[in-house]
Amino acid sequence: VRFTVAEDFIEVFTTRPDTLFGVSFITLAPEHVLVGKYTTDDRRAEVEAYVKTASNRSERDRQAEVEKVSGVFTGTYAKHPFTGADVPIWVGDYVLAGYGTGAVMAVPGGDQRDWRFAKHFSLPIIAVTEGADIDKEADERKDATICSEGFLKGMKVPEAITRSIQELEK
């Protein structure tokens, strides 16, 4: 999925395009080639220090330590492909450069790693599925009904996945 940034874009990886209307931020792996490009001057020192610290941790450690939350805001926003909303771009070491595109569309209402990150940094958490208690955890069910706003609302997850892919291809 591509999120526009000025005259460019970030291509994010997702296994759940049905959760697009629950995106509240994008997270880049610290090693992602676009980190420097999308870091504003006023955030540069903090982002570079974070990237340096993250580079001292192995991917194995980063995957194993799921309770350890760290990250930094780049100062830049991307545009949501369907809503046009501004989506803040963060750097977080829970995202791995070698997995997918090294960038994820963060859906804290539907992904537990994103939920921990959002809770830690007080970022918005949007409910994606009916019956979810997103105050306690993300709802990763694949048999639920979509409740987030947009053209997928009311669809069962499998149908919403197909429809979201069709709309993205358009």
Side-chain angles (χ1 to χ4, degrees):
V1 179
R2 291 182 175 172
F3 286 75
T4 304
V5 183
E7 302 297 317
D8 202 3
F9 62 87
I10 293 176
E11 192 168 75
V12 301
F13 175 76
T14 183
T15 60
R16 296 288 307 273
D18 57 302
T19 64
L20 266 163
F21 290 99
V23 172
S24 60
F25 57 100
I26 291 172
T27 313
L28 301 175
E31 309 84 2
H32 199 288
V33 296
L34 295 177
V35 169
K37 181 176 183 176
Y38 294 141
T39 299
T40 58
D41 289 341
D42 63 317
R43 308 288 305 158
R44 192 159 310 281
E46 186 178 358
V47 170
E48 287 175 355
Y50 178 77
V51 168
K52 184 177 180 182
T53 300
S55 71
N56 292 324
R57 298 181 65 220
S58 71
E59 283 192 1
R60 184 179 197 137
D61 288 343
R62 288 163 51 185
Q63 286 178 305
E65 297 172 359
V66 294
E67 298 299 323
K68 181 179 179 181
V69 176
S70 69
V72 63
F73 177 51
T74 64
T76 301
Y77 295 82
K79 291 287 182 193
H80 191 285
F82 291 135
T83 68
D86 288 333
V87 179
I89 303 168
W90 285 71
V91 180
D93 69 0
Y94 77 99
V95 178
L96 304 177
Y99 184 75
T101 64
V104 298
M105 57 177 220
V107 182
D111 181 276
Q112 194 61 32
R113 296 163 303 163
D114 297 339
W115 185 90
R116 282 189 198 95
F117 195 90
K119 280 290 191 184
H120 184 81
F121 290 106
S122 299
L123 297 168
I125 299 175
I126 302 164
V128 177
T129 51
E130 290 178 359
D133 186 356
I134 57 173
D135 289 332
K136 294 183 180 176
E137 64 185 355
D139 181 11
E140 298 177 337
R141 293 177 298 150
K142 294 181 181 174
D143 61 348
T145 300
I146 302 295
C147 72
S148 54
E149 293 302 317
F151 58 83
L152 302 175
K153 187 174 184 171
M155 292 182 181
K156 291 288 190 187
V157 168
E159 178 187 7
I161 289 172
T162 301
R163 175 74 189 280
S164 59
I165 291 170
Q166 291 169 343
E167 292 300 320
L168 287 165
E169 288 175 341
K170 286 181 187 177

